[in-house]
Amino acid sequence: MSDRTVTIEINQQQEQMLDRLVAEGELGETHGEVVRSGFARFCEKHPELFEGGVGGEGARDE
Amino acid sequence: MSDRELVVEHVMEPGTGKALPVRRGQILRIEQIGNGQCADFNAFNLHDYKEYFHTGRTRHLHGLFPTEGDMLWSAPPRERPMLTIIRDTVGTNDIQYPRCTGFLYEYQYGFETHTNCHDILAESIREYGLTPDDVHDSFNFWMHTGVDDQGRLYIKRMLAKSGDYVELIAHFDVLAVPNVCGADIFSTSNFELKPLRVQVLEATDEERERWLLAAEPEYRNQRTPADFKLSQIKVTRELDRDESYEPDWSVYPIVKHSLKVPLSDEDHAQIEGLRANGGFGQSDGEIVRHAFFSWWIEEYMRGPKHQHAGQ
């Protein structure tokens, strides 16, 4: 993991959703880790979105 | 279904409609007598007429052309399944087009008077003390429609033949209001008006077991005006400001917090890929947010997703 982060703004309703995902225990222990996991899973699931672009190697290899 | 008990039968002649109480567990059947006649349709809660059929929620949950297995929903804040289509021998129904009106025929064709669904529905519900303002956007049985690549609606030739029918089971007591669509100068009913037979039947035990939903709302947000601050029906038409009004929003203020999301080098490469895609925003934060919530919709959202990720 690099030391780079991205900052997004989350409101109290979205925090409730992240609380539930943290409680499920599968995606991470913090809101930030959960968002990162969901983001990565989305990218892994949709290699077609990277076709013709400069997406990650993993996505393009699928 | 020979063991269904017939409650009432009525033939709607062209230019007419009929308001029919359909109790919970009863079936409304609408049948073609001639070839290809559209039936516009309204529905009200028989015990609270302010709960009525809502094309918007129905379209949202079942798409543009609801058919067998789909439900007709009531308007917010109640949002309950009113009826389920349990049989549809054709499968071409429409909930995009609004009911035709006198204005439409005058504006588009110059008719001073013409059969139109709004007026027919208004006359039908007058039998129960309802007014023309209570007529609402209709479910259009057998209306064969489409959407072109420019997003414009169009009407195709009616496919229904004599003997075709739809059947709907009521999940609570409703006033069902079908009418013979008045459009004889659109292709809605192949340019002629024909009668339709309507029946109310008792569902069999097997049908009730298969189709009937619980009588009580399943969700706390299927509400009535009693759940809101102002629940009494306004009896005057003039609008006057309530000088004592103070806003009291259910969720307010919306409070935002900054959230730091740790990312790997591979994640950053993926961000670049999604930026190139063009459908996820431009800043890193926009892209991460859009992709994350898209994933959440795909994994956790119930019902139709209404989401198209990326370009």
Side-chain angles (χ1 to χ4, degrees), chain B residues 239-260:
Chain B
L239 295 177
D240 297 304
R241 183 175 185 275
D242 176 359
E243 296 298 335
S244 67
Y245 169 75
E246 292 289 342
D248 186 12
W249 315 111
S250 58
V251 181
Y252 183 82
I254 302 299
V255 180
K256 294 195 287 188
H257 300 290
S258 293
L259 175 65
K260 290 186 182 300

Side-chain angles (χ1 to χ4, degrees), chain A residues 1-15 17-18 20-21 24 27 31-36 38-46 48-50 53-59, chain B residues 251-274 276-277 280 284-296 298-300 309-311:
Chain A
M1 190 75 69
S2 73
D3 59 358
R4 296 167 65 186
T5 63
V6 63
T7 300
I8 63 175
E9 289 195 324
I10 296 292
N11 69 39
Q12 73 267 43
Q13 299 181 110
Q14 295 165 326
E15 283 183 326
M17 178 264 280
L18 293 175
R20 294 208 304 266
L21 294 177
E24 288 183 7
L27 295 166
H31 289 176
E33 290 173 4
V34 164
V35 171
R36 187 268 160 186
F39 169 78
R41 291 185 182 201
F42 177 82
C43 294
E44 183 179 359
K45 185 178 176 182
H46 291 286
E48 76 280 2
L49 296 172
F50 298 89
V54 292
E57 293 297 324
Chain B
V251 181
Y252 183 82
I254 302 299
V255 180
K256 294 195 287 188
H257 300 290
S258 293
L259 175 65
K260 290 186 182 300
V261 181
L263 297 175
S264 67
D265 291 339
E266 182 180 356
D267 294 333
H268 280 285
Q270 304 284 34
I271 288 174
E272 292 306 319
L274 294 182
N277 175 279
F280 291 83
D284 289 3
E286 286 176 336
I287 293 167
V288 169
R289 171 196 296 278
H290 201 110
F292 167 73
F293 280 103
S294 297
W295 167 82
W296 184 76
E298 291 179 356
E299 298 296 321
Y300 287 88
Q311 299 286 25

Side-chain angles (χ1 to χ4, degrees), chain B:
Chain B
M1 292 290 177
S2 59
D3 50 351
R4 287 177 179 169
E5 178 188 345
L6 177 65
V7 178
V8 66
E9 178 172 310
H10 176 82
V11 173
M12 300 188 299
E13 296 295 339
T16 76
K18 184 63 179 172
L20 296 157
V22 183
R23 304 283 176 174
R24 172 176 166 79
Q26 292 182 336
I27 291 170
L28 174 70
R29 178 187 171 103
I30 312 173
E31 180 182 345
Q32 297 283 339
I33 297 177
N35 284 326
Q37 174 59 51
C38 171
D40 281 40
F41 181 76
N42 272 193
F44 303 84
N45 180 336
L46 193 58
H47 311 296
D48 176 6
Y49 76 94
K50 283 293 190 180
E51 180 170 20
Y52 55 88
F53 166 64
H54 193 243
T55 53
R57 182 60 68 228
T58 302
R59 187 166 56 233
H60 177 184
L61 291 174
H62 301 297
L64 301 180
F65 315 108
T67 184
E68 195 168 296
D70 294 333
M71 296 178 284
L72 279 64
W73 290 75
S74 63
R78 294 154 174 93
E79 295 184 270
R80 297 191 293 164
M82 304 181 79
L83 306 116
T84 292
I85 304 171
I86 65 171
R87 191 77 177 100
D88 180 353
T89 61
V90 179
T92 58
N93 303 305
D94 170 83
I95 48 172
Q96 284 72 248
Y97 278 91
R99 60 199 180 276
C100 60
T101 64
F103 159 77
L104 187 72
Y105 293 106
E106 184 178 6
Y107 173 75
Q108 295 200 287
Y109 290 98
F111 283 96
E112 289 189 9
T113 59
H114 192 277
T115 51
N116 68 86
C117 290
H118 178 89
D119 289 2
I120 298 171
L121 287 166
E123 178 58 19
S124 301
I125 62 178
R126 186 171 67 85
E127 186 175 359
Y128 287 82
L130 295 174
T131 73
D133 284 340
D134 298 311
V135 179
H136 44 273
D137 277 354
S138 53
F139 191 106
N140 307 315
F141 288 107
W142 295 294
M143 189 176 185
H144 191 195
T145 64
V147 185
D148 70 17
D149 57 7
Q150 301 297 309
R152 291 176 297 230
L153 303 175
Y154 59 84
I155 306 169
K156 295 188 279 188
R157 183 170 178 81
M158 165 76 63
L159 298 180
K161 304 295 184 187
S162 179
D164 279 322
Y165 62 93
V166 292
E167 292 178 340
L168 303 95
I169 193 167
H171 297 299
F172 53 86
D173 298 350
V174 301
L175 183 69
V177 195
N179 75 282
V180 175
C181 173
D184 56 359
I185 48 176
F186 297 100
S187 66
T188 311
S189 298
N190 297 342
F191 301 100
E192 58 176 336
L193 305 179
K194 310 100 180 169
L196 290 165
R197 177 181 291 114
V198 292
Q199 295 175 318
V200 178
L201 305 134
E202 293 288 353
T204 65
D205 290 343
E206 291 78 15
E207 288 169 332
R208 293 172 67 95
E209 175 70 22
R210 177 179 178 188
W211 293 105
L212 260 191
L213 302 175
E216 297 302 317
E218 185 179 356
Y219 299 93
R220 65 176 298 274
N221 278 294
Q222 291 173 310
R223 294 167 294 172
T224 73
D227 298 310
F228 290 78
K229 296 173 185 67
L230 183 59
S231 59
Q232 293 302 307
I233 294 173
K234 191 175 182 326
V235 296
T236 59
R237 291 187 177 259
E238 186 72 16
L239 295 177
D240 297 304
R241 183 175 185 275
D242 176 359
E243 296 298 335
S244 67
Y245 169 75
E246 292 289 342
D248 186 12
W249 315 111
S250 58
V251 181
Y252 183 82
I254 302 299
V255 180
K256 294 195 287 188
H257 300 290
S258 293
L259 175 65
K260 290 186 182 300
V261 181
L263 297 175
S264 67
D265 291 339
E266 182 180 356
D267 294 333
H268 280 285
Q270 304 284 34
I271 288 174
E272 292 306 319
L274 294 182
R275 197 183 339 266
N277 175 279
F280 291 83
Q282 283 305 307
S283 73
D284 289 3
E286 286 176 336
I287 293 167
V288 169
R289 171 196 296 278
H290 201 110
F292 167 73
F293 280 103
S294 297
W295 167 82
W296 184 76
I297 285 173
E298 291 179 356
E299 298 296 321
Y300 287 88
M301 185 177 176
R302 181 182 180 186
K305 305 298 187 185
H306 292 275
Q307 167 78 356
H308 180 83
Q311 299 286 25

